[in-house]
């Protein structure tokens, strides 16, 4: 239901609902703060007016909380090769991904 994605233009990593994705493109809402968090947690459908960004999906998960942890993990360790994330989750044996 969620994906950790790398925004190609800015090299930023964030969590998005998979329904905001369209291949290698991602809708992103024009708002911030608690309104953005609510849209993420509630799996709000994207609006056609939202900007679209080029992305790379790093990993998909089933839970928002797991996605947040994996996103923070990737930022803290600052991996150049994000292919490590799926390997990490496999070795951790996280059944709820």
């Amino acid at each position: 239901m969620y994906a950790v994605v790398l925004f190609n233009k800015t090299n930023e990593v964030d969590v998005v609902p998979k329904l905001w994705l369209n291949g290698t493109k991602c809708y992103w809402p024009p708002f911030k703060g608690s309104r953005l968090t609510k849209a993420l947690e509630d799996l709000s459908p994207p609006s056609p007016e939202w900007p679209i960004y080029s992305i790379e999906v790093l990993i998909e998960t089933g839970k928002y909380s797991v996605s947040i942890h994996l996103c923070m993990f990737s930022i803290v360790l600052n991996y150049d090769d994000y292919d490590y994330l799926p390997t990490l989750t496999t070795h951790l044996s996280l059944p709820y991904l």
Side-chain angles (χ1 to χ4, degrees):
M1 297 194 328
Y2 292 93
V4 177
V5 301
L6 172 67
F7 287 86
N8 294 326
K9 186 174 182 179
T10 60
N11 207 33
E12 293 174 295
V13 178
D14 216 324
V15 174
V16 298
K18 291 194 321 188
L19 61 107
W20 293 7
L21 302 177
N22 185 6
T24 60
K25 303 291 182 190
C26 176
Y27 288 92
W28 189 259
F31 38 83
K32 298 179 183 179
S34 60
R35 190 170 169 203
L36 173 61
T37 302
K38 182 167 176 40
L40 288 164
E41 290 174 344
D42 293 348
L43 298 170
S44 298
S47 167
E49 290 85 33
W50 290 3
I52 299 174
Y53 298 94
S54 175
I55 55 97
E56 177 184 340
V57 175
L58 303 178
I59 193 164
E60 297 180 4
T61 69
K63 290 188 175 182
Y64 181 68
S65 59
V66 174
S67 299
I68 291 292
H69 284 98
L70 290 173
C71 183
M72 291 174 18
F73 179 79
S74 69
I75 293 169
V76 168
L77 295 179
N78 195 22
Y79 277 101
D80 290 328
D81 183 3
Y82 289 104
D83 291 335
Y84 182 75
L85 284 175
T87 304
L88 169 72
T89 57
T90 300
H91 289 299
L92 290 177
S93 299
L94 300 175
Y96 44 82
L97 287 177

